[in-house]
Structures are given as C-alpha cells and as structure tokens.
Amino acid sequence: MKFLVLLLLGLLSLCSAHTDFFTSIGHMTDLLNTEKDLVTSLKDYIMAEELKLTKIKQWAEKLDQVTETATKDPEGFLGHPVNAFKLMKRLNTEWLELENLVLKDMSDGFISNLTIQRQYFPNDEDQTGAAKALLRLQDTYNLTPDTFSSGNLPGVKQKASLTAEDCFDLGKVAYTDADYYHTELWMEQALKQLDDGEESSIDKVLVLDYLSYAVYQQGDLDKALMLTKRLLFLDPEHQRGNGNLKYFEYIMAKEGNKTGVSDGAETKARKGRPRDHLPERQKYEMLCRGEGVKMTPRRQKRLFCRYVDGNRSPTFVLSPTKQEDEWDKPRIVRYHDIISDDEIAKVQAIAKPRLRRATISNPITGVLETAHYRISKSAWLSGYEDPVIEKINRRIQALTGLDVSTAEELQVANYGMGGQYEPHFDFARANEPDAFKELGTGNRIATWLFYMSDVEAGGATVFPEVGAAVYPKKGTAVFWYNLFESGEGDYSTRHAACPVLVGNKWVSNKWIHERGQEFRRPCKLSELE
C-alpha cells in the first residue's frame, strides 16, 4: 500500500510540475504509459494481497482441522508426542511467521489480540525442550527417525507426521548441543523426504551443509566428502562447501587413507549417542522397552494374588481389596480397584490449576529444585483441602498399617510428552543427612504410588537394580518399603519413571516417613532386615 501511495504521489507531483501534458500527444502517451505502469503496480499489489490472504486462508483451514480434531479429545491428541512437539513449534515459530505476514496489512484487531495472547505462548526454550523430548523417546524406545516422521507409533489414536522442515529443526536442536549423532539421523531423514519429492521451505543444500559437518565430527571422512561433493553439485559456488572439500581431501591425503574412515589425530569422535551421566542407562532403557526383566519361572511361582482387609480395618473387613505381588525382592505389591474414577477426577481437578514443574530435593542442601532428569508437572494436596484427599490418606494408612500423619502431602504428577523421572532413590542416603531435615519426620520409609490413568505406550515404573518393571493401570496402586526394618536403605528400590511414548500419564504418590512407625514397624537389629 505504501508503495502504491508513493507511486500515486509521484505521478501527481509529476502532473503538477508539467501541467501542459495535454498539449502534446507525445506527453499524453507518456501519461498513458505511466498509468499503465501504475495499473501494473496496482495489480501486483492486489496479487500480493490476494496471495497473503490465500496463505492466511490456507493456514486457517489447516488449523481449523487440527483444532477441531484436537479439542474433541485434547489429552488423546496431546498424548501423541509428535502432536505435542508440533503444537510447541506452531505456537513458538509458525504463528510468528503468520504475524509478520499479517502485519503487512492493517489488521490491527488481530495483531492486538495476537500480541496479548503471545504472552501465553511457548518460547524457544519450550520448543527446544519438546524437540529434546522426541530425541529422548527415540533413544529410549529404539525408534528410527522414519518411524517418528511417519507417525507409526504404538498405541496412537491420531496419526501425525513430521515434515522435512520438522526433521531439519530437530537436527538443528541436536546440532546446537554438539550432539552430532542425532544431528546426522535427523538431517538424513530431512534429506530423504526432500529426495522423495516433498515440497519444503528448506533446500537440500542447507541440509547437506549440516549433515556433512555432523558426519565429519563423528569421524566418517569418506561420507563427509561424498556429502560435500553432492552439496557442491547442487551449489558449485557454496563457499563453506568448497572450503570443506579442500580440507577433507587434505586430511585424507595426509592420513594416506582414501577408502576408509581415518584413524588419525584429525579424526573426530566415533559415531554413537553422546556420553551419558547415568551409569545404568542401558538397563533402564531396556526395561522401559519391556526387555531384560529378570523374573524367573521359579520366582514367579512365589508371587500370589489375595484379598486383604487392611489389618481388620472397618473399611475393608466387609469389602476386602485385591492385592497382587508384582515383585519379590524388593517386595512390590499392587492394589487393584483402589481408587475410583470419580476420586481420580476430583484429585485431578484440584491439582490441575496448581501443576508446576516437578522438583527434587537437593541431596546436599535439601532445597527443592528442578532437574533435567525429572520432567513432569506436580502439585501437592493436603487432606484438609477436600474430603476426598483425606479419605485417600486414611485408605493408605489402613492398607499399609503405617501412620500417615507424618507423611508428606499427596503429590499429584502429570507426565506429558516424553515425561520421565530417571533412576533415583526415594530415601535419603547416608551422605545426605539433611535431605528431609526441615520435615523433622525422619527418612522416607515407604512409597505408595497411585496410577490414575492408563498409558498407551511407555510410562512404566522400572527398578534397574533388580530388573523389575511395573506398568501403569488406572485405578491401581503399588507399594514398597524403601528402608529395611533396621532403618537402613534398601538400594534395590532404586527406580525410574520411563518416558511416556504415547498417551498421558497421571500418578499420585504418598511418601511415608519413619516418625510414628516405631510400634507399627519395629526396628530390627540385623542391618538387612
């Protein structure tokens, strides 16, 4: 519009400067040509506006379909990790692109509304976090980029796919962290989709630039050289590509190895996942996939199901509850149909407005803080807040025989996309004397864990030390002791919440402490009793 106004002003100033144009056909012809140019410019402007409007309409129709589907079953829709990632990406990146497009027009109402709503949008950190969650799921469940990109995940209700640009963005997130293993995987997937003819805003040259460098960083000079030559075939003047070609050829000549991967000093780290802080990573991830469970048939025969009345509790004498042995050492039991759907809905309703990023207790300072290995949102609920919470607390006390008056509040946690809690102990070890000092109730003697949702795929509770895996089942709860009767910690209870692959995981737990249990669970002299 500004261009058109300037053009009109220029034409008017030209006419005012030469008021005798009508006296000469030649001059009039000039005016006709000017007007034609003006009409051409006007058409270009209209075409540009129509193109913008067409793009906006296409965006609206696409989002209308997505939101129509999503709002029918929000949790099911967001339970698919690709949908969750693409929601982060749309709101953080693509809506910004739409904003810039609309700003070229005078849509003040929309822009004002978008500006107001932007404060609630995810930011770059959120989008990066969502991308890393996908990478985490990829590793834990041994999934290929193609499996993710096609949306063929187990238990999915609504299939979603990744575009070449999505794959490129995931590769860039890994690249930023110098994670060249995942960079290579996702750049190769982006390149594959482009080679298959997918239309995209990114081009092969850009993908090959990242891919060749990632391959080089992992020591595969032959492949890096091949990819660089392909890049230069597409763009012979690519400055960095030409520089890399000379450098790679120099290194290979220097090493005297034209056909294999160079082993010289110039070579970077070998291929593979980045080194990890977690010593039992392999065992943990195998258990999450349902592999490596160490329950023998002989031990299996010693596991039973039974009805229990909670030590003759009035609540359960007339209506005993079902208890199942999940594991023998440490002893883990599951209670079936122990929390109703109505109670779950009430607990979730109270917790949802208060959900915040879950924290851990710093083993040195005792201060609560967030950690990269615990990714969920949680809220703490007290018994006095609602009769349902108090009723649940009394139920736990009746079935465990332990005093819950010194227990921590009921913690409600929601594990969304890639949500996890890596292997940890619930109890404080000998080198963490101040972990629960502020509570003044001693160590965490036992853990009670409610499963308040089913999970389509992933989300198991695993115990890497003993090779045990317990799977979420709505309405059930599992219970185990963290301490021996001597008060010493049972290190076999080290456990983890596996990443949620597909679905939405809700749990609530009660950490029961030592104080008040002196006569309910008397101390024994033997350290391991």
Side-chain angles (χ1 to χ4, degrees):
M1 178 65 79
K2 289 181 179 178
F3 172 75
L4 179 60
V5 171
L6 290 173
L7 193 59
L8 283 168
L9 289 174
L11 181 60
L12 291 173
S13 63
L14 180 64
C15 290
S16 62
H18 304 276
T19 54
D20 59 343
F21 268 140
F22 68 93
T23 62
S24 170
I25 297 297
H27 287 166
M28 292 289 287
T29 303
D30 290 341
L31 289 176
L32 283 173
N33 291 331
T34 301
E35 187 179 40
K36 183 179 179 181
D37 291 341
L38 182 59
V39 171
T40 301
S41 299
L42 179 61
K43 286 182 176 180
D44 290 341
Y45 167 75
I46 293 171
M47 187 180 299
E49 284 295 316
E50 288 177 341
L51 180 60
K52 294 173 198 172
L53 188 57
T54 299
K55 290 181 179 179
I56 294 169
K57 284 181 178 178
Q58 291 173 345
W59 175 262
E61 289 169 359
K62 182 182 75 171
L63 263 292
D64 186 51
Q65 293 176 356
V66 173
T67 54
E68 180 68 22
T69 302
T71 52
K72 289 179 181 177
D73 180 17
E75 290 196 353
F77 183 83
L78 292 174
H80 195 304
V82 170
N83 283 334
F85 164 72
K86 295 190 79 167
L87 176 63
M88 297 293 105
K89 185 184 175 207
R90 281 198 305 274
L91 291 177
N92 181 55
T93 304
E94 296 176 10
W95 275 97
L96 180 58
E97 294 172 359
L98 180 64
E99 178 181 347
N100 292 333
L101 179 63
V102 174
L103 273 172
K104 296 178 181 178
D105 199 357
M106 301 304 292
S107 301
D108 294 334
F110 171 76
I111 296 302
S112 297
N113 187 35
L114 183 59
T115 302
I116 292 171
Q117 295 300 328
R118 176 158 287 282
Q119 62 182 313
Y120 305 111
F121 283 8
N123 55 25
D124 289 344
E125 185 178 349
D126 295 318
Q127 183 176 334
T128 299
K132 289 181 178 180
L134 282 186
L135 301 183
R136 184 164 58 249
L137 291 172
Q138 175 189 357
D139 291 340
T140 303
Y141 296 105
N142 271 351
L143 300 171
T144 65
D146 189 61
T147 299
F148 256 122
S149 183
S150 61
N152 293 322
L153 301 180
V156 295
K157 293 180 180 179
Q158 299 170 14
K159 193 172 180 180
S161 59
L162 292 169
T163 65
E165 185 180 352
D166 294 330
C167 297
F168 175 77
D169 288 341
L170 286 167
K172 275 178 55 178
V173 168
Y175 181 87
T176 302
D177 282 350
D179 174 5
Y180 301 112
Y181 168 75
H182 287 107
T183 303
E184 179 183 359
L185 291 178
W186 285 100
M187 291 300 174
E188 282 187 336
Q189 181 63 30
L191 186 61
K192 174 181 178 295
Q193 292 180 209
L194 292 175
D195 285 342
D196 289 342
E198 181 181 318
E199 294 185 5
S200 178
S201 60
I202 61 169
D203 59 30
K204 295 180 184 180
V205 171
L206 182 61
V207 176
L208 285 165
D209 193 14
Y210 277 94
L211 180 56
S212 60
Y213 185 76
V215 169
Y216 161 68
Q217 285 290 340
Q218 295 180 90
D220 193 342
L221 282 175
D222 279 343
K223 186 174 180 181
L225 185 62
M226 179 269 292
L227 291 168
T228 302
K229 288 180 178 178
R230 183 180 175 188
L231 182 158
L232 291 172
F233 177 79
L234 297 173
D235 182 3
E237 303 302 318
H238 196 280
Q239 185 175 358
R240 185 164 47 249
N242 280 296
N244 287 344
L245 179 65
K246 293 178 181 178
Y247 180 64
F248 294 157
E249 289 177 339
Y250 164 76
I251 293 176
M252 295 187 76
K254 182 179 179 182
E255 295 296 330
N257 186 351
K258 299 283 186 181
T259 59
V261 175
S262 173
D263 293 320
E266 298 282 358
T267 304
K268 304 295 181 182
R270 286 295 179 265
K271 290 187 177 182
R273 288 170 58 180
R275 290 191 176 182
D276 193 81
H277 65 280
L278 196 63
E280 68 256 67
R281 171 70 65 188
Q282 186 175 2
K283 288 195 295 183
Y284 157 57
E285 291 186 349
M286 285 180 65
L287 287 169
C288 289
R289 296 192 296 268
E291 305 167 7
V293 177
K294 298 178 180 178
M295 177 55 68
T296 63
R298 184 176 180 181
R299 289 170 63 190
Q300 181 74 42
K301 291 179 180 178
R302 295 198 293 265
L303 302 180
F304 298 96
C305 297
R306 64 191 68 82
Y307 283 97
V308 295
D309 59 13
N311 300 309
R312 305 293 296 171
S313 165
T315 306
F316 296 104
V317 167
L318 296 178
S319 180
T321 192
K322 291 172 282 188
Q323 185 192 74
E324 177 187 2
D325 293 331
E326 285 280 354
W327 206 258
D328 51 357
K329 291 183 180 180
R331 186 169 186 244
I332 306 169
V333 295
R334 186 195 294 263
Y335 294 90
H336 290 268
D337 303 319
I338 200 60
I339 184 170
S340 69
D341 288 349
D342 288 343
E343 289 173 327
I344 288 173
K346 184 65 175 179
V347 170
Q348 289 176 335
I350 298 172
K352 278 181 180 179
R354 293 152 56 174
L355 288 174
R356 299 291 183 272
R357 175 72 184 267
T359 57
I360 55 100
S361 177
N362 186 298
I364 307 300
T365 65
V367 175
L368 294 177
E369 59 188 23
T370 60
H372 65 88
Y373 54 83
R374 186 180 190 187
I375 301 173
S376 64
K377 286 190 173 182
S378 66
W380 298 84
L381 309 184
S382 299
Y384 64 79
E385 293 184 63
D386 192 277
V388 170
I389 309 301
E390 180 57 32
K391 185 178 180 181
I392 289 172
N393 288 340
R394 289 199 305 268
R395 188 178 305 155
I396 295 172
Q397 178 163 308
L399 290 172
T400 62
L402 299 174
D403 184 357
V404 299
S405 64
T406 59
E408 295 174 48
E409 295 177 340
L410 187 72
Q411 181 182 217
V412 181
N414 179 222
Y415 295 82
M417 176 192 178
Q420 64 165 3
Y421 192 174
E422 289 183 354
H424 62 281
F425 299 102
D426 281 350
F427 65 90
R429 274 73 69 209
N431 62 343
E432 302 168 344
D434 297 330
F436 307 115
K437 185 177 181 180
E438 291 185 2
L439 299 178
T441 53
N443 212 341
R444 289 173 174 166
I445 193 173
T447 296
W448 177 283
L449 177 64
F450 283 111
Y451 292 115
M452 302 198 301
S453 68
D454 294 314
V455 179
E456 285 81 353
T461 305
V462 299
F463 295 74
E465 294 295 315
V466 296
V470 180
Y471 297 94
K473 183 180 179 183
K474 186 178 181 181
T476 70
V478 291
F479 172 78
W480 67 86
Y481 281 103
N482 298 306
L483 307 179
F484 292 112
E485 289 176 306
S486 63
E488 293 296 322
D490 184 352
Y491 283 78
S492 68
T493 62
R494 183 171 171 84
H495 60 285
C498 295
V500 176
L501 177 57
V502 178
N504 191 14
K505 181 182 175 184
W506 282 90
V507 298
S508 58
N509 66 277
K510 195 79 172 173
W511 281 311
I512 304 172
H513 283 247
E514 290 177 293
R515 297 294 177 264
Q517 322 306 338
E518 292 83 356
F519 299 103
R520 294 172 181 262
R521 192 179 189 241
C523 181
K524 291 190 176 180
L525 297 179
S526 175
E527 184 176 320
L528 299 181
E529 285 189 289

